[in-house]
Amino acid sequence: MEDCLFCKIVSGEIPSTKVYEDEKTLCFKDINPEAPVHVLVIPKKHISNINELSKDDEEIIGHIFGVIKKVTKELGISESGYRIVSNCNEDAGQTVPHVHFHILGGKKLQVPMG
Ligand code: 5GP
Ligand code: ZN
């Protein structure tokens, strides 16, 4: 989608530090990390947020959790633990309208959220 920051990262128009890539997904380092490990996993397909998911998108969302499992292992945080966050719309503070899952880890994360 034109004018979408993460679509531009997918196309390579905007550079990113890639951690993992396959046909359907991209995982890259967050530019403003809030934990020692902070990466984002996105579908390559433009979907604005979770509200916009269709039945057909369920496969890609399931696939993304497989990617999360793989990437957290490779990043060495699967055993110590990590948090997955996906913000939807204004109250949650979504700033980029392209579905993304934050992976946060590498330290003891604060609880609770919100
Ligand atoms: P949100 O606030 O929408 O849940 O998350 C958007 C995330 O994208 C933020 O954590 C922000 O730091 C990250 N971000 C914003 N612009 C860029 C960018 O140009 N490159 C990368 N790698 N991350 C970005
Ligand atoms: Zn997009």
Side-chain angles (χ1 to χ4, degrees):
M1 191 204 193
E2 259 178 68
D3 283 338
C4 169
L5 178 67
F6 286 174
C7 283
K8 287 180 180 169
I9 285 180
V10 169
S11 71
E13 191 180 332
I14 292 175
S16 67
T17 306
K18 285 180 195 175
V19 171
Y20 173 83
E21 181 173 17
D22 64 27
E23 199 183 306
K24 293 176 184 164
T25 65
L26 181 65
C27 177
F28 55 96
K29 289 189 179 177
D30 196 291
I31 205 167
N32 185 21
E34 291 182 18
V37 175
H38 187 175
V39 300
L40 303 170
V41 186
I42 67 170
K44 288 187 171 176
K45 174 188 173 185
H46 180 86
I47 306 166
S48 298
N49 62 40
I50 288 171
N51 290 342
E52 303 303 321
L53 289 175
S54 69
K55 193 83 186 153
D56 286 348
D57 297 325
E58 288 179 2
E59 189 190 334
I60 180 72
I61 298 302
H63 178 76
I64 280 175
F65 276 84
V67 170
I68 289 169
K69 180 180 173 182
K70 182 182 168 69
V71 162
T72 52
K73 194 166 185 189
E74 285 171 3
L75 293 172
I77 58 170
S78 56
E79 293 304 318
S80 51
Y82 56 88
R83 181 174 294 153
I84 304 301
V85 175
S86 187
N87 296 316
C88 180
N89 278 343
E90 197 182 337
D91 278 0
Q94 183 180 8
T95 58
V96 180
H98 181 129
V99 165
H100 51 283
F101 294 85
H102 297 255
I103 303 176
L104 297 147
K107 70 169 187 180
K108 188 102 179 153
L109 298 165
Q110 289 183 345
V111 282
M113 295 185 286

